[in-house]
Amino acid sequence: MRREIIMRLRPLLAVIPALTIWLSAAPMIGEATTDAGRPPNIVLIYADDLGYGDLGTYGARGYRTPHLDRMAAEGTRLTSFYVAQAVCSASRAALLTGCYPNRIGINGALDHRSNYGIDSGETTIAEALRTRGYATAIFGKWHLGHHPAFLPTRHGFDEYYGLPYSNDMWPNHPVTKNYYPELPLIEGEKVIALNPDQSQLTTTYTERAVSFIERHRERPFFLYLPHSMPHVPLFVSDKFRGRTERGLYGDVIEEIDWSVGQILATLQRQGLDRQTLVIFTSDNGPWLPYGNHAGTTAGLREGKGTAWEGGVRVPFIARWPGRIPAGRVVREPAMTIDILPTLAKLAGVASSSARPIDGLDAWPTISGNRRAKTAHDAFYFYWLGELHAVRSGKWKLHLPHPYRHLASTGSDGRPGKDETLQAEMALYDLEQDPVEHVNVAAGRPEVVRQLLSLAERARADLGDSLTRRQPTNARPPGRL
Ligand code: MG
């Protein structure tokens, strides 16, 4: 009955731009239970500032990622997976709530002065899965508000250990020395150390993750592992220091890869392989001004902080033996906003949020179906409140917008400089031209018109400060 109502509502929902009610991700009972007859465990690993070209299977050179390569060989790898906004807080807001960041008032990167954070009325993945009896934990970087009201323990997570924001927000920042206070390390809601030894972060997060899996063998769990690395300042433990040709950046990635290996080995040891979906992705592209301390885009244009492919396209690997076929590579686009509805459906989450979200179930794509088609007619790329680009099918239209362009490269932890350039309206065929080099707008006026009308829908819904449009369906963040 409920399903029928939803099916009838679908055409209606489709006319509301970029706006879907979570009900449309209602469970198909029986579709997602594991061999053990219970909803799957979820492990979601989120690297920080790791670029599209930074893993072996995506072309990395100068170091090795054997565990992630194996994960890809045993699962599915996406080649057009996007973050919703190429910066830390906004990206995490989208991942955890299924919403474009500006829909829920979290843009850019929060810091120690931010008196706002994720609103208590938004539903996170952890809160959604909890309704199905999941144990939940986050070990790593939160970045959705550092005041107690906004911490993970108030937003669906049973356990939290990690940094409240970025690891460069500390007194040793290379440019703004002594601007930031001492960096807190938090357990639960308590600060347990200031300026912790960052060379131990990856190891400690991993040890906590392994212990969490071991302690929750008997019930479904959601483990969220947002690494602080490879965001600058780069730190690595003794086990990995000096191992790679690529230098410290390569060492750091090899340690993250080791961490993935530890997780996979633990799942196997506990007999949980076939009951666990493991996802690995990144929050945004490389922070290019950091030069040898930044990742690579595999040739995609620009990097972190932009709506060009180098900023928003990231690696994505999903592994679930028995449910996801081995060795698939899928190029259909999907976005972080799709993760919540996909996981909610897999877990049979029946409840719905009264608040509309933007993401849609992407299971056909994530599970390696090469013929899968995204249910989105468009993906929108905002920078703060500015609508910079729209992707529909293979086409991406950049609207006129300012953007960061690398002007000079720094090294060894000191950044170079960005300059601001102005992009003109340009249409790219991402299948032929993923590096956004050849503007084909002049020869494709009908495609430009179509993408402009999609952009107009987004503006009417979420606003666009570049064309002075106010949002009509944006919600404020939580405030102190
Ligand atoms: Mg980041």
Side-chain angles (χ1 to χ4, degrees), residues 59-384:
R61 295 285 176 270
Y63 57 88
R64 293 171 59 244
T65 58
H67 299 291
L68 281 155
D69 297 350
R70 174 167 75 91
M71 196 177 143
E74 294 173 353
T76 287
R77 179 166 80 82
L78 304 188
T79 59
S80 297
F81 187 78
Y82 291 107
V83 298
Q85 199 181 107
V87 64
C88 300
S89 296
S91 178
R92 284 147 216 275
L95 175 76
L96 289 181
T97 68
C99 293
Y100 283 110
N102 39 335
R103 186 172 305 290
I104 61 167
I106 306 278
N107 286 308
L110 278 57
D111 71 9
H112 63 290
R113 296 162 312 173
S114 302
N115 61 1
Y116 65 98
I118 186 167
D119 187 69
S120 58
E122 305 299 343
T123 302
T124 66
I125 294 174
E127 287 167 319
L129 295 179
R130 237 186 196 178
T131 65
R132 291 284 280 131
Y134 278 64
T136 57
I138 159 175
F139 305 119
K141 165 174 163 177
W142 174 240
H143 221 174
L144 293 174
H146 67 288
H147 291 284
F150 308 125
L151 287 177
T153 42
R154 309 287 180 96
H155 292 274
F157 289 95
D158 306 332
E159 298 182 29
Y160 171 43
Y161 173 92
L163 304 183
Y165 36 68
S166 294
N167 60 322
D168 66 341
M169 295 174 173
W170 69 335
N172 299 331
H173 192 284
V175 179
T176 50
K177 203 156 180 61
N178 295 321
Y179 168 74
Y180 294 105
E182 292 179 303
L183 179 66
L185 175 68
I186 298 179
E187 176 155 29
E189 296 184 2
K190 258 211 201 82
V191 175
I192 57 168
L194 292 169
N195 294 339
D197 177 359
Q198 293 204 34
S199 71
Q200 296 307 304
L201 289 177
T202 302
T203 299
T204 318
Y205 296 163
T206 305
E207 288 168 354
R208 299 249 171 177
V210 165
S211 154
F212 178 79
I213 294 169
E214 290 169 347
R215 284 183 283 121
H216 295 90
R217 208 189 160 271
E218 304 297 338
R219 69 183 268 210
F221 59 79
F222 170 52
L223 168 61
Y224 175 43
L225 187 53
H227 282 291
S228 292
M229 298 293 137
H231 191 293
V232 291
L234 299 179
F235 281 97
V236 73
S237 74
D238 288 340
K239 331 188 254 305
F240 287 89
R241 188 174 297 117
R243 283 193 6 160
T244 69
E245 251 174 65
R246 172 71 158 79
L248 184 54
Y249 191 84
D251 299 346
V252 165
I253 302 295
E254 286 203 352
E255 187 160 38
I256 289 173
D257 181 70
W258 161 84
S259 171
V260 171
Q262 295 293 303
I263 305 284
L264 296 179
T266 306
L267 292 172
Q268 188 177 35
R269 213 165 42 239
Q270 298 296 322
L272 295 174
D273 256 354
R274 294 176 68 85
Q275 296 172 47
T276 307
L277 167 63
V278 183
I279 291 172
F280 181 96
T281 185
S282 175
D283 73 331
N284 52 251
W287 204 353
L288 298 175
Y290 279 90
N292 63 344
H293 282 200
T296 56
T297 66
L300 299 176
R301 188 165 172 181
E302 305 294 344
K304 173 177 177 174
T306 76
W308 299 98
E309 294 289 296
V312 290
R313 195 190 290 212
V314 290
F316 182 98
I317 302 171
R319 173 190 181 269
W320 182 2
R323 298 303 299 267
I324 296 182
R328 290 281 166 90
V329 179
V330 177
R331 66 181 187 181
E332 185 66 7
M335 193 183 255
T336 44
I337 54 174
D338 299 330
I339 299 298
L340 181 144
T342 303
L343 298 181
K345 181 172 170 185
L346 285 174
V349 174
S351 63
S352 79
S353 164
R355 299 185 176 202
I357 68 165
D358 298 293
L360 296 168
D361 177 24
W363 181 243
T365 303
I366 288 170
S367 63
N369 180 344
R370 293 196 194 94
R371 284 191 299 274
K373 287 281 166 229
T374 176
H376 289 279
D377 50 13
F379 294 96
Y380 298 102
F381 299 99
Y382 276 85
W383 177 249
L384 310 177

